[in-house]
mmCIF file of all heavy atoms in Angstrom:
data_model
loop_
_atom_site.group_PDB
_atom_site.id
_atom_site.type_symbol
_atom_site.label_atom_id
_atom_site.label_comp_id
_atom_site.label_asym_id
_atom_site.label_seq_id
_atom_site.Cartn_x
_atom_site.Cartn_y
_atom_site.Cartn_z
ATOM 1 N N TYR C 1 -8.054 -8.593 6.361
ATOM 2 C CA TYR C 1 -7.692 -7.693 5.282
ATOM 3 C C TYR C 1 -8.258 -8.317 3.969
ATOM 4 O O TYR C 1 -8.347 -9.512 3.864
ATOM 5 C CB TYR C 1 -6.190 -7.483 5.247
ATOM 6 C CG TYR C 1 -5.686 -6.649 6.346
ATOM 7 C CD1 TYR C 1 -5.267 -7.266 7.520
ATOM 8 C CD2 TYR C 1 -5.599 -5.269 6.249
ATOM 9 C CE1 TYR C 1 -4.806 -6.466 8.610
ATOM 10 C CE2 TYR C 1 -5.120 -4.497 7.334
ATOM 11 C CZ TYR C 1 -4.735 -5.143 8.486
ATOM 12 O OH TYR C 1 -4.260 -4.361 9.529
ATOM 13 N N ASN C 2 -8.380 -7.446 3.028
ATOM 14 C CA ASN C 2 -8.820 -7.861 1.695
ATOM 15 C C ASN C 2 -7.754 -8.628 0.956
ATOM 16 O O ASN C 2 -6.618 -8.142 0.824
ATOM 17 C CB ASN C 2 -9.213 -6.608 0.845
ATOM 18 C CG ASN C 2 -9.972 -7.004 -0.404
ATOM 19 O OD1 ASN C 2 -9.718 -8.057 -1.000
ATOM 20 N ND2 ASN C 2 -10.846 -6.105 -0.893
ATOM 21 N N PRO C 3 -8.012 -9.865 0.502
ATOM 22 C CA PRO C 3 -6.980 -10.635 -0.170
ATOM 23 C C PRO C 3 -6.380 -9.892 -1.383
ATOM 24 O O PRO C 3 -5.167 -10.030 -1.669
ATOM 25 C CB PRO C 3 -7.782 -11.888 -0.636
ATOM 26 C CG PRO C 3 -8.900 -12.033 0.326
ATOM 27 C CD PRO C 3 -9.265 -10.597 0.666
ATOM 28 N N LEU C 4 -7.186 -9.127 -2.060
ATOM 29 C CA LEU C 4 -6.665 -8.388 -3.228
ATOM 30 C C LEU C 4 -5.614 -7.319 -2.801
ATOM 31 O O LEU C 4 -4.680 -7.047 -3.509
ATOM 32 C CB LEU C 4 -7.821 -7.714 -3.988
ATOM 33 C CG LEU C 4 -8.823 -8.656 -4.650
ATOM 34 C CD1 LEU C 4 -9.964 -7.877 -5.309
ATOM 35 C CD2 LEU C 4 -8.145 -9.624 -5.625
ATOM 36 N N ASP C 5 -5.884 -6.686 -1.603
ATOM 37 C CA ASP C 5 -4.940 -5.731 -1.105
ATOM 38 C C ASP C 5 -3.631 -6.399 -0.741
ATOM 39 O O ASP C 5 -2.506 -5.844 -0.905
ATOM 40 C CB ASP C 5 -5.471 -5.026 0.147
ATOM 41 C CG ASP C 5 -6.609 -4.056 -0.237
ATOM 42 O OD1 ASP C 5 -6.690 -3.611 -1.386
ATOM 43 O OD2 ASP C 5 -7.503 -3.734 0.683
ATOM 44 N N ILE C 6 -3.720 -7.580 -0.181
ATOM 45 C CA ILE C 6 -2.479 -8.314 0.188
ATOM 46 C C ILE C 6 -1.726 -8.729 -1.034
ATOM 47 O O ILE C 6 -0.484 -8.642 -1.093
ATOM 48 C CB ILE C 6 -2.867 -9.552 1.014
ATOM 49 C CG1 ILE C 6 -3.580 -9.105 2.344
ATOM 50 C CG2 ILE C 6 -1.643 -10.405 1.336
ATOM 51 C CD1 ILE C 6 -4.146 -10.242 3.158
ATOM 52 N N VAL C 7 -2.388 -9.141 -2.085
ATOM 53 C CA VAL C 7 -1.768 -9.458 -3.382
ATOM 54 C C VAL C 7 -1.001 -8.254 -3.933
ATOM 55 O O VAL C 7 0.151 -8.389 -4.342
ATOM 56 C CB VAL C 7 -2.791 -10.031 -4.357
ATOM 57 C CG1 VAL C 7 -2.146 -10.090 -5.785
ATOM 58 C CG2 VAL C 7 -3.352 -11.342 -3.965
ATOM 59 N N LYS C 8 -1.598 -7.101 -3.853
ATOM 60 C CA LYS C 8 -0.958 -5.908 -4.354
ATOM 61 C C LYS C 8 0.319 -5.599 -3.519
ATOM 62 O O LYS C 8 1.378 -5.204 -4.060
ATOM 63 C CB LYS C 8 -1.890 -4.697 -4.244
ATOM 64 C CG LYS C 8 -3.060 -4.708 -5.199
ATOM 65 C CD LYS C 8 -4.010 -3.530 -5.072
ATOM 66 C CE LYS C 8 -5.180 -3.610 -5.986
ATOM 67 N NZ LYS C 8 -6.075 -2.497 -5.775
ATOM 68 N N CYS C 9 0.255 -5.831 -2.190
ATOM 69 C CA CYS C 9 1.412 -5.611 -1.360
ATOM 70 C C CYS C 9 2.532 -6.576 -1.689
ATOM 71 O O CYS C 9 3.706 -6.222 -1.723
ATOM 72 C CB CYS C 9 1.020 -5.739 0.113
ATOM 73 S SG CYS C 9 -0.068 -4.455 0.742
ATOM 74 N N VAL C 10 2.209 -7.830 -1.978
ATOM 75 C CA VAL C 10 3.200 -8.814 -2.329
ATOM 76 C C VAL C 10 3.889 -8.466 -3.615
ATOM 77 O O VAL C 10 5.108 -8.553 -3.786
ATOM 78 C CB VAL C 10 2.613 -10.228 -2.405
ATOM 79 C CG1 VAL C 10 3.578 -11.219 -2.936
ATOM 80 C CG2 VAL C 10 2.099 -10.696 -1.048
ATOM 81 N N LYS C 11 3.100 -7.979 -4.601
ATOM 82 C CA LYS C 11 3.690 -7.517 -5.892
ATOM 83 C C LYS C 11 4.603 -6.285 -5.692
ATOM 84 O O LYS C 11 5.685 -6.206 -6.349
ATOM 85 C CB LYS C 11 2.584 -7.196 -6.846
ATOM 86 C CG LYS C 11 1.766 -8.338 -7.371
ATOM 87 C CD LYS C 11 0.666 -8.004 -8.355
ATOM 88 C CE LYS C 11 -0.028 -9.259 -8.890
ATOM 89 N NZ LYS C 11 -1.071 -8.897 -9.871
ATOM 90 N N MET C 12 4.219 -5.383 -4.817
ATOM 91 C CA MET C 12 5.073 -4.270 -4.448
ATOM 92 C C MET C 12 6.350 -4.728 -3.828
ATOM 93 O O MET C 12 7.430 -4.234 -4.188
ATOM 94 C CB MET C 12 4.359 -3.321 -3.450
ATOM 95 C CG MET C 12 3.149 -2.511 -4.089
ATOM 96 S SD MET C 12 2.207 -1.722 -2.823
ATOM 97 C CE MET C 12 3.518 -0.769 -1.869
ATOM 98 N N TRP C 13 6.285 -5.739 -2.932
ATOM 99 C CA TRP C 13 7.497 -6.295 -2.282
ATOM 100 C C TRP C 13 8.407 -6.876 -3.327
ATOM 101 O O TRP C 13 9.651 -6.727 -3.263
ATOM 102 C CB TRP C 13 7.092 -7.316 -1.256
ATOM 103 C CG TRP C 13 8.217 -7.771 -0.445
ATOM 104 C CD1 TRP C 13 8.624 -7.263 0.770
ATOM 105 C CD2 TRP C 13 9.109 -8.917 -0.725
ATOM 106 N NE1 TRP C 13 9.666 -8.016 1.275
ATOM 107 C CE2 TRP C 13 10.003 -8.967 0.378
ATOM 108 C CE3 TRP C 13 9.169 -9.809 -1.754
ATOM 109 C CZ2 TRP C 13 11.005 -9.971 0.386
ATOM 110 C CZ3 TRP C 13 10.201 -10.722 -1.757
ATOM 111 C CH2 TRP C 13 11.094 -10.827 -0.659
ATOM 112 N N LEU C 14 7.857 -7.640 -4.321
ATOM 113 C CA LEU C 14 8.664 -8.232 -5.331
ATOM 114 C C LEU C 14 9.378 -7.249 -6.231
ATOM 115 O O LEU C 14 10.520 -7.508 -6.704
ATOM 116 C CB LEU C 14 7.801 -9.154 -6.216
ATOM 117 C CG LEU C 14 7.245 -10.442 -5.505
ATOM 118 C CD1 LEU C 14 6.251 -11.130 -6.447
ATOM 119 C CD2 LEU C 14 8.445 -11.389 -5.199
ATOM 120 N N LYS C 15 8.755 -6.092 -6.461
ATOM 121 C CA LYS C 15 9.326 -5.030 -7.245
ATOM 122 C C LYS C 15 10.460 -4.331 -6.478
ATOM 123 O O LYS C 15 11.546 -3.988 -7.031
ATOM 124 C CB LYS C 15 8.316 -3.977 -7.690
ATOM 125 C CG LYS C 15 7.337 -4.536 -8.754
ATOM 126 C CD LYS C 15 6.349 -3.487 -9.154
ATOM 127 C CE LYS C 15 5.470 -3.941 -10.304
ATOM 128 N NZ LYS C 15 4.452 -2.943 -10.684
ATOM 129 N N ASP C 16 10.215 -4.031 -5.230
ATOM 130 C CA ASP C 16 11.303 -3.320 -4.357
ATOM 131 C C ASP C 16 10.961 -3.590 -2.916
ATOM 132 O O ASP C 16 9.956 -3.093 -2.409
ATOM 133 C CB ASP C 16 11.179 -1.826 -4.694
ATOM 134 C CG ASP C 16 12.260 -1.042 -3.908
ATOM 135 O OD1 ASP C 16 13.168 -1.687 -3.352
ATOM 136 O OD2 ASP C 16 12.169 0.180 -3.880
ATOM 137 N N ASN C 17 11.807 -4.395 -2.307
ATOM 138 C CA ASN C 17 11.637 -4.662 -0.924
ATOM 139 C C ASN C 17 12.668 -4.049 -0.011
ATOM 140 O O ASN C 17 12.850 -4.373 1.187
ATOM 141 C CB ASN C 17 11.660 -6.170 -0.658
ATOM 142 C CG ASN C 17 12.905 -6.912 -1.169
ATOM 143 O OD1 ASN C 17 14.011 -6.310 -1.091
ATOM 144 N ND2 ASN C 17 12.772 -8.065 -1.805
ATOM 145 N N SER C 18 13.444 -3.127 -0.575
ATOM 146 C CA SER C 18 14.490 -2.451 0.197
ATOM 147 C C SER C 18 13.962 -1.624 1.369
ATOM 148 O O SER C 18 14.545 -1.525 2.413
ATOM 149 C CB SER C 18 15.349 -1.571 -0.720
ATOM 150 O OG SER C 18 14.485 -0.617 -1.338
ATOM 151 N N ASP C 19 12.807 -0.935 1.105
ATOM 152 C CA ASP C 19 12.244 -0.160 2.175
ATOM 153 C C ASP C 19 10.711 -0.356 2.080
ATOM 154 O O ASP C 19 9.914 0.596 1.921
ATOM 155 C CB ASP C 19 12.557 1.354 2.005
ATOM 156 C CG ASP C 19 12.101 2.191 3.127
ATOM 157 O OD1 ASP C 19 11.958 1.633 4.276
ATOM 158 O OD2 ASP C 19 11.831 3.429 2.970
ATOM 159 N N PHE C 20 10.331 -1.589 2.289
ATOM 160 C CA PHE C 20 8.917 -1.974 2.086
ATOM 161 C C PHE C 20 8.028 -1.468 3.242
ATOM 162 O O PHE C 20 8.313 -1.622 4.400
ATOM 163 C CB PHE C 20 8.803 -3.470 1.980
ATOM 164 C CG PHE C 20 7.387 -3.936 1.838
ATOM 165 C CD1 PHE C 20 6.727 -3.826 0.643
ATOM 166 C CD2 PHE C 20 6.700 -4.508 2.903
ATOM 167 C CE1 PHE C 20 5.418 -4.254 0.474
ATOM 168 C CE2 PHE C 20 5.391 -4.940 2.747
ATOM 169 C CZ PHE C 20 4.751 -4.830 1.520
ATOM 170 N N LYS C 21 6.900 -0.840 2.800
ATOM 171 C CA LYS C 21 5.917 -0.374 3.746
ATOM 172 C C LYS C 21 4.524 -0.696 3.127
ATOM 173 O O LYS C 21 4.297 -0.518 1.992
ATOM 174 C CB LYS C 21 6.057 1.122 4.017
ATOM 175 C CG LYS C 21 7.289 1.469 4.771
ATOM 176 C CD LYS C 21 7.362 2.974 4.985
ATOM 177 C CE LYS C 21 8.640 3.366 5.732
ATOM 178 N NZ LYS C 21 8.753 4.813 5.958
ATOM 179 N N ALA C 22 3.642 -1.116 3.991
ATOM 180 C CA ALA C 22 2.238 -1.478 3.552
ATOM 181 C C ALA C 22 1.295 -0.783 4.481
ATOM 182 O O ALA C 22 1.244 -1.104 5.683
ATOM 183 C CB ALA C 22 2.068 -2.896 3.440
ATOM 184 N N ASP C 23 0.485 0.075 3.967
ATOM 185 C CA ASP C 23 -0.545 0.777 4.770
ATOM 186 C C ASP C 23 -1.942 0.427 4.136
ATOM 187 O O ASP C 23 -2.404 1.166 3.393
ATOM 188 C CB ASP C 23 -0.301 2.277 4.827
ATOM 189 C CG ASP C 23 -1.201 3.003 5.737
ATOM 190 O OD1 ASP C 23 -1.869 2.308 6.611
ATOM 191 O OD2 ASP C 23 -1.379 4.250 5.681
ATOM 192 N N ILE C 24 -2.441 -0.664 4.592
ATOM 193 C CA ILE C 24 -3.730 -1.099 4.053
ATOM 194 C C ILE C 24 -4.833 -1.058 5.149
ATOM 195 O O ILE C 24 -4.486 -1.340 6.333
ATOM 196 C CB ILE C 24 -3.656 -2.440 3.381
ATOM 197 C CG1 ILE C 24 -3.082 -3.556 4.300
ATOM 198 C CG2 ILE C 24 -2.859 -2.404 2.083
ATOM 199 C CD1 ILE C 24 -3.061 -4.969 3.709
ATOM 200 N N THR C 25 -6.012 -0.817 4.744
ATOM 201 C CA THR C 25 -7.086 -0.758 5.701
ATOM 202 C C THR C 25 -7.763 -2.063 5.957
ATOM 203 O O THR C 25 -7.962 -2.811 4.944
ATOM 204 C CB THR C 25 -8.158 0.266 5.238
ATOM 205 O OG1 THR C 25 -7.560 1.553 5.036
ATOM 206 C CG2 THR C 25 -9.317 0.405 6.218
#
């Protein structure tokens, strides 16, 4: 996976991890 996509997912998790979902290509 693209490291930049993973970084975005981690930032999303930090903002709200109550119902975290990551759909990256």
Side-chain angles (χ1 to χ4, degrees):
Y1 291 89
N2 191 329
L4 296 178
D5 290 338
I6 297 173
V7 169
K8 290 178 182 178
C9 289
V10 171
K11 288 181 177 180
M12 288 169 54
W13 188 92
L14 289 171
K15 288 182 178 179
D16 183 13
N17 56 39
S18 58
D19 187 26
F20 178 76
K21 292 180 181 178
D23 186 17
I24 55 178
T25 301

